[in-house]
Amino acid sequence: MNSNSIQQAAMQLLPAWLHTQPIAELDSSYRPQNRAQGYQTQQALFDATQDSTYGWKIAATSVAGQKHIGVSGPLAGRLLTSRRLGPGAQVALHGNLMRVMEAEFAFRMKQDVMREAHAPLSVDAVMNAVEAMHLAIEIPNSRFTQFEQVGEASLIADFACAGHVVIGAEVTAPWRDLALDAHKVQVFKQGQWVADGIGANVLGDPRLALTWLANELLDHGMHLRQGDLVITGTCVVPVPVNEGDQMLADFGLLGQLAVAFT
């Protein structure tokens, strides 16, 4: 892809992102063909939105999730400030093709995350750059009507199915002492249990997921920056939601987070 093709792909995605006008697929003449081209198109789309970013998401952090959307591994996507929400937020589902919610761990970075040469960053190195943990509920969405079929390069271009995200307050419990891979998360709808999972559903451990993201960005000429907040992937199987649903994600001693759908 040349720069003109990247811009054309971004311009085809922009109305779908801004005005909830989904498309079937990107035009074949400028469709990204690999991860690198996907991230280049994502950058161009981000620039075109004239929005700001507060961090990153990781999509497809389970084998089942990867099979569902037809990708070979996790995907990184920017989180845009205009779609960041606080605890107890109300979210309109109009135009949302996925209609699910996900319960996730999130990490906030205290410094830029870089590396020497091309040696992959270790989990310890990445976690030493973390300032705080937050809880999160993601309401993912795609601008593709057949998001299961368009392939990972197009999905990356489209912010890796990013949508609204509810971000909780900083976790005050001593989370660094916990085995996050074994930590249980439950989801309730209208006060009734509907799903549970554990941190191991996120690439084996949310810390591993964060480390994957740090290395993925560096591999593609980007990096985690001071203040970035990263949602690391869903601990539970995505829970279907509809208008009127009142949802609660319970992370045990780490806290709870609620969202309502209108």
Side-chain angles (χ1 to χ4, degrees):
M1 293 181 78
N2 57 35
S3 59
N4 184 59
S5 295
I6 291 169
Q7 289 298 321
Q8 286 182 297
M11 289 305 99
Q12 187 179 2
L13 279 168
L14 184 62
W17 174 262
L18 292 178
H19 308 301
T20 320
Q21 299 173 355
I23 59 177
E25 60 185 358
L26 289 169
D27 189 285
S28 60
S29 62
Y30 46 75
R31 186 182 306 152
Q33 299 299 308
N34 53 48
R35 282 179 173 256
Q37 293 176 3
Y39 287 121
Q40 290 171 335
T41 307
Q42 183 183 130
Q43 176 67 52
L45 176 59
F46 170 61
D47 293 341
T49 67
Q50 299 183 16
D51 206 335
S52 59
T53 180
Y54 65 95
W56 296 86
K57 66 163 288 183
I58 312 173
T61 51
S62 70
V63 173
Q66 292 163 16
K67 290 182 178 179
H68 178 60
I69 60 175
V71 300
S72 64
L75 316 174
R78 280 177 177 79
L79 297 175
L80 271 62
T81 303
S82 62
R83 305 196 185 192
R84 176 176 177 167
L85 304 170
Q90 294 190 340
V91 181
L93 283 173
H94 172 73
N96 189 301
L97 300 177
M98 292 184 162
R99 288 183 167 245
V100 296
M101 61 86 68
E102 302 176 347
E104 311 196 15
F105 293 102
F107 298 103
R108 190 176 77 244
M109 312 310 297
K110 66 181 177 183
Q111 63 194 54
D112 290 7
V113 181
M114 305 296 291
R115 67 187 177 197
E116 296 181 3
H118 296 288
L121 291 166
S122 67
V123 175
D124 286 346
V126 174
M127 292 307 300
N128 286 338
V130 171
E131 181 174 21
M133 174 192 278
H134 296 253
L135 307 180
I137 292 175
E138 183 184 10
I139 304 97
N141 195 15
S142 178
R143 275 46 67 178
F144 295 111
T145 54
Q146 298 177 317
F147 56 86
E148 306 96 330
Q149 301 176 24
V150 296
E152 65 185 19
S154 288
L155 291 175
I156 288 171
D158 184 36
F159 298 130
C161 302
H164 289 91
V165 183
V166 180
I167 302 294
E170 180 178 334
V171 172
T172 57
W175 59 268
R176 289 185 188 270
D177 299 331
L178 297 179
L180 293 181
D181 58 338
H183 193 79
K184 186 174 182 179
V185 181
Q186 295 182 296
V187 175
F188 297 84
K189 180 186 294 188
Q190 279 77 267
Q192 301 296 313
W193 172 90
V194 290
D196 61 31
I198 57 174
N201 292 333
V202 184
L203 288 182
D205 188 304
R207 296 179 175 98
L208 294 176
L210 180 65
T211 304
W212 174 86
L213 178 71
N215 284 302
E216 175 80 351
L217 295 182
L218 287 164
D219 287 344
H220 293 280
M222 301 172 284
H223 65 276
L224 284 173
R225 298 179 182 275
Q226 181 182 17
D228 276 352
L229 196 147
V230 179
I231 59 171
T232 52
T234 184
C235 298
V236 302
V237 174
V239 178
V241 293
N242 287 297
E243 287 85 352
D245 284 342
Q246 305 282 329
M247 309 298 298
L248 178 74
D250 186 347
F251 292 79
L253 63 84
L254 298 177
Q256 298 178 332
L257 195 59
V259 64
F261 292 97
T262 64

